Amino acid sequence: MNLSDSQTGGSVPSVPRRVSAMEAVLTYLRHAIEQGEYAVGDKLPSEAELCRRLEVSRPVLREALRALQTMGLTASRTGKGTFVISSGPVEDPTFGDYTASDLLEVRRHVELPVAGYAAVRRSAEDLDHLTHLLERMERETDTTAWVAMDTLFHLTIAQAARNPVFRKVIEEIRDALARQSAFLNELGDRREQANREHRAIVEALSDGSEPDAVAAMAHHLQRVESTLSTIVRRGSETDDRTASPMKPPMEGQQE
């Protein structure tokens, strides 16, 4: 199966969603683990063997293996390889030291009031910084660079709220936010949608509207949660062509 033809159903069944080489490999390995082809305690084949078997490059495979760890299905042991630690189902991905559910709970209690305070306390300099950052994000095509700016965007809003405690909290979870952002971009194609949500937040801050800023941030966090839920559910909706051990995914054009 060539990845340029690899598709999974979206929210509208008649409109297929194209997937990347990394996602096709992840789907294949996740299905193999959840179906018991690799049992808890088993060691996955070496990277070289998986690359040969699945006909993908090592960077693509490593991204898929990192995603499996984020989902809590595998663990990497230095010098020994990757081992299956759970057969699923995936319920709560982990980003660094924090689970997705813990991050979302804290973000609702921190970033909503932060947005409201920033709307009434932000300076002209804050707005210039956020606008410039947003424009750079809208032009950026490299995921790693975009993710770095994404976390800086939220940190800058916390700075605009003029409360150092809020900024400290965002700094504490910054690494986890970056991991989550990269995960959502790889598997949820979130970048353009996130840019639109960020622009709505900046416009509310520019207007000085506390209710609008809170609402825009709430919408942004709701979309993050919705995308995470979609990614977690996707394993049970695997296309048989991708999941079949006789037809592993092969690397083709990536989007």
Side-chain angles (χ1 to χ4, degrees):
M1 184 187 71
N2 189 293
L3 284 185
S4 62
D5 298 324
S6 181
Q7 301 172 339
T8 61
S11 58
V12 181
S14 61
V15 181
R17 185 182 63 83
R18 296 172 67 84
V19 300
S20 67
M22 176 275 210
E23 186 174 350
V25 173
L26 171 62
T27 300
Y28 174 74
L29 291 174
R30 177 180 174 181
H31 185 269
I33 291 170
E34 292 181 342
Q35 294 301 308
E37 294 172 35
Y38 297 113
V40 173
D42 284 355
K43 177 183 175 181
L44 293 184
S46 68
E47 288 187 3
E49 171 61 19
L50 285 172
C51 286
R52 184 195 64 77
R53 186 183 302 179
L54 303 181
E55 300 183 21
V56 295
S57 65
R58 189 155 293 194
V60 167
L61 177 66
R62 286 177 174 172
E63 285 292 331
L65 292 176
R66 279 194 288 269
L68 283 177
Q69 291 184 56
T70 294
M71 291 178 170
L73 296 177
T74 63
S76 178
R77 300 174 186 170
T78 304
K80 296 182 178 180
T82 299
F83 293 80
V84 178
I85 61 173
S86 173
S87 60
V90 176
E91 294 181 354
D92 200 3
T94 300
F95 302 104
D97 296 330
Y98 308 111
T99 64
S101 60
D102 286 343
L103 277 176
L104 284 167
E105 183 175 17
V106 167
R107 293 185 74 184
R108 291 190 198 99
H109 286 282
V110 173
E111 292 198 79
L112 297 189
V114 160
Y117 288 130
V120 296
R121 297 174 180 173
R122 86 292 183 277
S123 66
E125 183 179 359
D126 292 327
L127 287 177
D128 286 344
H129 189 185
L130 284 167
T131 300
H132 178 63
L133 188 58
L134 179 60
E135 289 171 350
R136 289 175 58 199
M137 293 175 74
E138 290 174 338
R139 294 193 302 268
E140 186 57 65
T141 58
D142 179 75
T143 296
T144 301
W146 189 92
V147 164
M149 287 186 283
D150 183 25
T151 59
L152 181 58
F153 179 86
H154 288 273
L155 196 60
T156 302
I157 294 175
Q159 176 67 32
R162 296 293 181 271
N163 184 325
V165 180
F166 282 137
R167 180 182 174 88
K168 189 69 174 179
V169 172
I170 300 301
E171 286 178 339
E172 166 62 29
I173 64 174
R174 187 175 184 177
D175 178 67
L177 292 179
R179 291 170 185 257
Q180 178 179 268
S181 180
F183 184 79
L184 292 172
N185 274 283
E186 286 287 353
L187 299 176
D189 195 22
R190 272 275 303 161
R191 193 184 309 164
E192 289 188 11
Q193 183 176 324
N195 283 339
R196 291 193 295 271
E197 293 159 12
H198 288 161
R199 181 160 290 282
I201 293 170
V202 172
E203 288 175 352
L205 296 181
S206 180
D207 291 342
S209 172
E210 181 177 358
D212 288 352
V214 172
M217 183 64 77
H219 175 69
H220 176 56
L221 297 183
Q222 188 277 326
R223 295 307 303 161
V224 167
E225 181 176 14
S226 176
T227 304
L228 278 168
S229 297
T230 298
I231 292 170
V232 167
R233 289 197 311 268
R234 199 174 290 153
S236 62
E237 302 168 355
T238 302
D239 189 314
D240 289 340
R241 294 172 303 169
T242 302
S244 171
M246 300 303 294
K247 297 179 181 179
M250 296 184 293
E251 186 172 9
Q253 293 182 333
Q254 297 183 55
E255 298 184 338

